[in-house]
Amino acid sequence: MAATLAEAQQAKPSGAVVFDPITVTATRTEKLPEQIPNAITPIKRSEFTDHQPGATLDEFAQGAPGVFFQNQYNFTQDLRIAIRGFGARSPFGVRGIQLRVDDIPQTLPDGQTQLDAVDPALIERMEIVRGPSASLFGNASGGMISITTRSPREKFELLPRLVFGQYGFLKSELYAGGRIDHFDYGLFGSYLQQNGWRTHSSMENWFSQVKLNFQTSPDSDWMVMFHKFYSPDSKDPGALTLAEVKDNPRQASANNRLYNASEAISQEQFAIRYRKSLAANQTLTLVAHTLHRDFQNLLPFTNGGQVEFDRWTGGLTTQFTSDHTLFERANRLLVGVDYAIQNDDRQRFNNHFGVRGATNLDQVERVQNVGPFFRNEWRVTNSLDWVVGGRWDWLHYRVKDAYLVDNDQSGKQTLSQVSGTTGLVYRLHDNHQIFTHIASVFEAPTTTELINNPAGIGGFNRNLKAQTSLSKEIGLRGKPGGFEYEATFFHIHTRNEITPFELLDAPGRAFFRNAGKSRRLGVETRLATPIWNGFRGEIAYTFSDFEFERYIVDDIDLRGNAFPGLPRHRWEGRVRYTHPTGVFGQLHVHRVGEFFVNDTNTATNDAYTLGQLLLGWEKKYGSFEGSIFFGINNLFDERYNANTRINAAFGRYFEPGPPLNVFGGARVRLVTF
C-alpha cells in the first residue's frame, strides 16, 4: 500500500494530496467500509463539529440515517439514542446499543450505557453500526457505536476552546498533546454549565481525561487511559401534560420542584490496552478496565424517592486475529472472550420534599457476564465476501437483601443465549456494493429493570424476561464520481420486547414488562454530493413502520398499535460551504414526523422541524490556527418537545425544548516545535 501511495504521489502534480483510505474498527478489526455486510456510518471530525456547542453526542452524529436522538437538554435523564427503534423507550441512559471508546467498553455487563462521561469535543472519529451487534459484543439489539478520541498530530499542540450561549450556557475546554519518538500523550479537561431554558433545569459538570500510547517494540504497543467525571448537581424539570405545555412550556413539573428532583454523579475509569503481533498476520489484543460510579438521585415522590448506589465494574477482553488463506483465498479469523462484572451497593430512602427520610431498600446487586465469540471473514471470489460469526452470552444476576423489613428478598437468576450472524458483500463495481445480513439477537434486562419491581418489594421482578430478535437486511451503497449513497431495507421480528410503564403512586420511576411479539420494517437512505466550489450537500431519510403483533395489557389488546417514541418519517439534510479565505457556513434541517407517546396510541407528539445555522471564520498562520464562530439553534423558532416520556403517569409525557437561541465562541490551535 505504501508503494502504491508513493507512486500515486509521484504521478500527481506538486501540491496534490493523497488521502488515506477510510477504515472502520467497529467490527473489532480494521476493515474498509465496503467490505462489511452491515449498514455502517463512519463519521470523521471536521471544522463543523469543531464549532458546535460541545454539549451532547448527537452534535457529532448529525445526518446518520436510522439513528434518532432525543433529550439534549435534560442532563439528569441522559441523551436518548434509538437505532432502528431499539432504545427509544429507555427512560434513562442508553439501552439496546453497545458503546466503546478507544476499544474500552462503556456499556455495563447488564447492557446499560451512560453517556455523561463521553465529551463530544474529545471525539476524533465515530462509527455507527446500525443493526444487531450481539454476535460480537453481546446484549445489544440496535447496534454499536465505536468512538475514537483525539490523539496528537504534532510534537506538541495546545487547543483551548470557549463557547457561550443563551440561558447561561458555557463550555470551556483545553486539550494538550504531543509525540516523542514512540510515545504520545493527550490531556483534556472541560467544564460545562447551563441555567436552562426551563425552570429547575440548571446543571454543571467537569470532565478530564489522560490518554497515553507507547510503542514498546516494532510489534507491540500499549494504551493507558484514565478519565474523571463529576456532576455535583443536575436538576430535573420533569415532564408536563399537554395542557401545561400549552399554558407555559418553561415551567417545571410541580412535584419535581417540590421534591427537588435532581442527581449528583462522580465517576472514574481506568483502562489498559495491549496489542502484540505474535507472528506474520497474527495479532493478540488484551483490554483490562475498571470503573467506579457514585450516584445519588432524588425523584418526585416520597416512598423510596431518594436513590443512591456505589458501583464498581471491571472487565477483561482477550482477542486473537489471524489473516491467512482459505482455499487459496484471503481469510480473517477473529476469536476472543469478554468477561465483565458489575457490583452495585444500592439504597433507597424516602424523599420528604428533598430531605432524606427512612431507609426503603438496601441491597447489593451483582452481574457477571462471560461472552466467547468468533467471526470469520472470507474472500470467496474477487467480488464476493462472506462473513459468519457467533457468540454465547452467560449472565448471572445476584441480589443480597440487607433490608429485611419486608422479608429476605435475596435471590439469583441466570440467563444465557447464543447469537449468530451471517452476511454477504458483493461488489458490483469498484464503487458499488450490495450487501445482505441476517442475525439473531439476545438482550437481557438490566439490573435497574429487574429490581424496579411493580410489586413494591426488593429483589428481582421474576416476571421480566430477556427479549430476542431475528434481523434481516439488504442494502446498496456506493461512491460514484465523488457522490455517496446508501439505501437499506430491514425487517426485525422480536419476542418479549421490554417496555416501560409508570405507576400512579410512583410517577417518574419506570417499571418494565414484556410485550409478546413485535415487528419492525424500515428503510434508511442517504445521499451526499461531492465538493463543488466549496459547497457540499447531504440528505437522509428514515422510514419506520414498527408495531406490536401480540401485546395485551390490563385486558386491552394492543395488537397492531405502533411503537411509541418513534416517528414514522424522518428527514435530515444539510448544506456546507467553505471559502478559501477561511469563511465557512452550514445549514442543518431536521424534520421529525408525528409519533405516539404511549402503547395504547391515545396520545401523540406533534411533528416538528428544527434548523441550525452555523457561520464562522478560520485562519491559519504558521504554527497558529484560530477560528471564531456563531450559531443559531431552532432556527425556525419551532414549539416542540425535546423529549417524551413513554407511558408516563398522569399524562406527563412532554419535555419542551427551547425556542430560537444563539451561541458563539472561539477556538485556537497552537503547535510548538
Side-chain angles (χ1 to χ4, degrees), residues 78 90 126 161 167 180 202 216 310 317 383 468 532 603 639 648:
D78 216 341
S90 175
M126 179 188 293
R161 197 177 84 110
Y167 315 120
I180 305 172
S202 63
T216 51
D310 186 67
T317 294
S383 301
T468 57
W532 178 77
R639 292 195 66 166

Side-chain angles (χ1 to χ4, degrees), residues 362 400-410:
D362 187 357
K400 182 175 177 56
D401 190 0
Y403 180 74
L404 303 177
V405 175
D406 57 354
N407 298 320
D408 189 352
Q409 304 297 329
S410 300

Side-chain angles (χ1 to χ4, degrees), residues 378-452:
W378 185 37
R379 175 65 54 86
V380 181
T381 69
N382 291 337
S383 301
L384 181 65
D385 289 351
W386 178 40
V387 173
V388 63
R391 177 180 172 116
W392 175 68
D393 272 290
W394 177 86
L395 291 104
H396 182 69
Y397 302 82
R398 188 181 185 92
V399 59
K400 182 175 177 56
D401 190 0
Y403 180 74
L404 303 177
V405 175
D406 57 354
N407 298 320
D408 189 352
Q409 304 297 329
S410 300
K412 56 186 177 180
Q413 185 171 343
T414 300
L415 299 172
S416 65
Q417 185 76 30
V418 174
S419 302
T421 183
T422 185
L424 295 169
V425 182
Y426 182 73
R427 285 171 290 281
L428 302 172
H429 187 270
D430 291 342
N431 295 320
H432 307 272
Q433 308 94 44
I434 185 170
F435 64 91
T436 184
H437 180 247
I438 300 174
S440 61
V441 187
F442 167 67
E443 185 173 317
T446 67
T447 53
T448 302
E449 292 167 350
L450 282 171
I451 61 98
N452 279 9

Side-chain angles (χ1 to χ4, degrees), residues 140-177:
S141 299
M144 160 68 180
I145 299 177
S146 176
I147 291 173
T148 302
T149 60
R150 290 182 177 183
S151 292
R153 293 176 285 173
E154 308 288 349
K155 290 184 178 179
F156 178 78
E157 57 183 352
L158 192 67
L159 291 91
R161 197 177 84 110
L162 186 63
V163 187
F164 295 95
Q166 284 185 266
Y167 315 120
F169 182 89
L170 170 65
K171 177 73 184 295
S172 59
E173 307 161 2
L174 179 62
Y175 176 83

Side-chain angles (χ1 to χ4, degrees), residues 358-387:
T359 302
N360 180 271
L361 179 143
D362 187 357
Q363 62 189 30
V364 177
E365 304 147 10
R366 176 172 292 183
V367 184
Q368 294 187 75
N369 175 220
V370 179
F373 59 88
F374 83 95
R375 182 180 176 92
N376 195 80
E377 302 165 348
W378 185 37
R379 175 65 54 86
V380 181
T381 69
N382 291 337
S383 301
L384 181 65
D385 289 351
W386 178 40
V387 173

